[in-house]
Amino acid sequence: MTVSRTICLGFLAVITVGTILLMMPFSLAAGTWGNLIVALFTSTSAVCVTGLSVVDIGTYFSFWGQFFVAALVQIGGLGYMTATTFLLLLLGAKFGLRDKVAIQQALDRTGMHDSAQLIRSIIAVTLIFEISGVFLLIPVFTPKYPLNEALWYAIFHSVNSWNNAGFSLFKDNFIGYQTSVLLNLVVTGLIVFGGIGYGVILELFIWLRDRLQRKPERMIFSLNFKVAVSTTIALLILGTTAFFFIEVKNPATFGSLSLPNQILAAWFQSVTPRTAGFNTIDIGKMTTAGLFLTIALMFVGASPGGTGGGIKTTTFRVLTSCTKAILQGKEEVFLYERTVDISLILKAVGVAVGSFATVILATILIALTDPTVSFIQILFEVVSAFATVGLSTGITASVTAAAKLILIMTMYIGRVGILLLMAALLGDPKPSSIRYPEETLIVG
């Protein structure tokens, strides 16, 4: 079995186990057997770190059901290969070349050296951020809830924030904490660092360590670091500014808030489509322009090697740089004084085209199964599912069973990735020695 098929089937296996666990009577608050579609949808959404839900997680599931959701989110955020490899390392098992190749593909790495150490570093980074999030969120919840409930709320939401999943135990998500500066900053901080990629965080750690130790050598950041960080910062600033001006006069979202709280809400709304799914405003009451801006940010998503989805910031940057190069009459693409290899450009084009095709097909199918739902709501829901975001205009629970199954497939495709799924279905590409003659054609 190829590595790509192992990863894809691994995610399916975790989803299946999660579905069975979430159907058990002890997982439901009512103590009865659960609905298959509800369990399958919730399990897929959790493993794919999406956050879309057809039920209220806080009231439908018991503590154990909520625990299983959080555990599935944690496994999904780490990735199937990372989680299973870590378990093998705990058991003292050794892994060979095939396992290293699997880790390389799962984490979008360019090399295979120090794979075991990388897995340990990923687990350590995850625990540091999630535990820090728990301690920072406890003071937010203790004024309203007993310490044991506040602790669980802090754990659940810290895990979901770091793994860029949008599940919340509150019926209105975080609308009740819209003006809480601490919650807004902690949750958005976890979302940004969780979605920016483990490689970026490790490079940043090494840079900080060298600065504190005052080492004379100057660290040179990788191209991936520069592109991921600069693109993320640019999108966050542009998104915050755009949301503020688009929604500032909408009384159902920002209009009734004070200026500081409007800026805070705009910042949160700029961060959460990248790709977490929490919300401090009613998404269903946003303007059409606000919804479309959210769709665009969701589609771009987070950075490679992180817990988020979307086509990724690096793909977006390569495509925009290609456009820039064409407009300037250049035949090569440059980023930070580095030439982008043609294979990366082709990969970026493949990801973008495959992603657009998936979104278009899923949107058409749901429009056929649910003709009464508006186009913008369907498109929003599909992009949210594909980019593993979890934001919704409120139609998730009301669409037909067929539409829910389409969303389940869309979430799965978005999590494993277009190229990896195609490799699993068609087999790994084989090099060819055939070279065909070139010929020009009219484009554009």
Side-chain angles (χ1 to χ4, degrees):
M1 184 182 293
T2 63
V3 171
S4 55
R5 286 173 184 168
T6 301
I7 296 173
C8 291
L9 290 175
F11 273 106
L12 286 177
V14 177
I15 290 170
T16 302
V17 173
T19 301
I20 295 170
L21 289 173
L22 292 177
M23 285 183 65
M24 295 293 179
F26 55 76
S27 293
L28 272 65
T32 57
W33 285 92
N35 179 276
L36 176 60
I37 296 294
V38 172
L40 177 61
F41 193 100
T42 307
S43 179
T44 305
S45 185
V47 174
C48 297
V49 289
T50 306
L52 284 175
S53 181
V54 294
V55 294
D56 177 18
I57 301 295
T59 57
Y60 183 83
F61 290 108
S62 65
F63 166 78
W64 286 111
Q66 296 169 15
F67 176 81
F68 292 141
V69 170
L72 291 170
V73 166
Q74 187 70 83
I75 294 171
L78 287 172
Y80 166 74
M81 287 308 305
T82 303
T84 52
T85 303
F86 179 66
L87 290 176
L88 289 174
L89 289 173
L90 287 178
L91 296 172
K94 295 182 179 180
F95 53 102
L97 181 62
R98 178 186 173 84
D99 300 302
K100 292 179 180 179
V101 171
I103 294 170
Q104 178 193 9
Q105 290 194 15
L107 298 177
D108 291 318
R109 295 190 73 207
T110 54
M112 294 183 288
H113 61 283
D114 296 330
S115 296
Q117 183 58 42
L118 176 66
I119 296 297
R120 294 188 185 96
S121 299
I122 289 174
I123 299 298
V125 168
T126 299
L127 290 176
I128 289 170
F129 274 92
E130 288 183 352
I131 292 171
S132 299
V134 170
F135 281 108
L136 290 171
L137 287 175
I138 286 176
V140 176
F141 301 129
T142 45
K144 287 186 178 181
Y145 303 97
L147 182 59
N148 61 329
E149 285 188 48
L151 177 61
W152 173 237
Y153 288 152
I155 293 172
F156 187 89
H157 292 102
S158 180
V159 169
N160 274 268
S161 298
W162 170 257
N163 291 289
N164 279 221
F167 288 111
S168 177
L169 298 178
F170 306 116
K171 191 167 289 188
D172 62 352
N173 210 282
F174 284 145
I175 293 178
Y177 293 91
Q178 188 178 59
T179 59
S180 172
V181 176
L182 181 58
L183 180 136
N184 277 262
L185 294 181
V186 171
V187 170
T188 54
L190 288 171
I191 292 168
V192 170
F193 279 102
I196 206 165
Y198 294 105
V200 171
I201 295 173
L202 292 176
E203 280 193 58
L204 184 61
F205 169 76
I206 294 171
W207 177 78
L208 287 172
R209 184 194 63 187
D210 291 348
R211 291 295 298 269
L212 292 173
Q213 294 177 353
R214 297 184 178 179
K215 289 186 176 182
E217 300 89 356
R218 182 185 175 188
M219 178 179 173
I220 300 176
F221 289 109
S222 67
L223 181 60
N224 181 75
F225 180 96
K226 294 174 183 177
V227 171
V229 171
S230 60
T231 308
T232 297
I233 292 173
L235 288 174
L236 290 176
I237 293 173
L238 290 173
T240 301
T241 306
F243 276 120
F244 178 81
F245 286 107
I246 289 173
E247 296 292 332
V248 70
K249 293 184 179 180
N250 183 356
T253 54
F254 293 1
S256 60
L257 301 174
S258 62
L259 179 60
N261 289 329
Q262 286 176 338
I263 296 173
L264 191 64
W267 162 253
F268 194 96
Q269 190 55 36
S270 177
V271 172
T272 193
R274 314 276 323 286
T275 53
F278 290 115
N279 59 284
T280 56
I281 60 172
D282 188 343
I283 302 297
K285 293 180 181 178
M286 290 178 69
T287 61
T288 303
L291 289 175
F292 201 79
L293 175 61
T294 305
I295 289 172
L297 291 174
M298 289 192 298
F299 190 75
V300 174
S303 300
T307 57
I311 64 171
K312 302 298 191 303
T313 53
T314 48
T315 303
F316 174 72
R317 189 67 176 274
V318 168
L319 294 174
T320 54
S321 297
C322 285
T323 305
K324 178 182 176 183
I326 292 169
L327 293 176
Q328 292 177 340
K330 297 178 181 178
E331 295 185 355
E332 290 183 309
V333 178
F334 302 105
L335 278 170
Y336 296 99
E337 299 179 347
R338 295 291 186 272
T339 303
V340 180
D341 188 76
I342 186 65
S343 62
L344 290 178
I345 296 173
L346 292 175
K347 183 178 180 181
V349 172
V351 169
V353 172
S355 300
F356 274 119
T358 302
V359 169
I360 291 171
L361 179 60
T363 302
I364 292 172
L365 291 175
I366 294 179
L368 291 173
T369 61
D370 294 70
T372 59
V373 182
S374 68
F375 169 74
I376 190 70
Q377 286 182 311
I378 295 175
L379 180 63
F380 191 98
E381 204 81 6
V382 168
V383 174
S384 180
F386 174 77
T388 68
V389 179
L391 290 174
S392 175
T393 56
I395 67 169
T396 316
S398 60
V399 295
T400 61
K404 289 185 177 74
L405 292 175
I406 295 167
L407 290 174
I408 287 171
M409 284 299 301
T410 306
M411 287 189 285
Y412 176 74
I413 294 170
R415 182 64 184 95
V416 299
I418 289 290
L419 299 185
L420 192 69
L421 182 62
M422 288 298 99
L425 294 174
L426 305 176
D428 293 331
K430 296 178 176 62
S432 174
S433 58
I434 301 174
R435 293 292 180 268
Y436 296 98
E438 292 184 6
E439 185 176 346
T440 60
L441 72 161
I442 301 172
V443 176

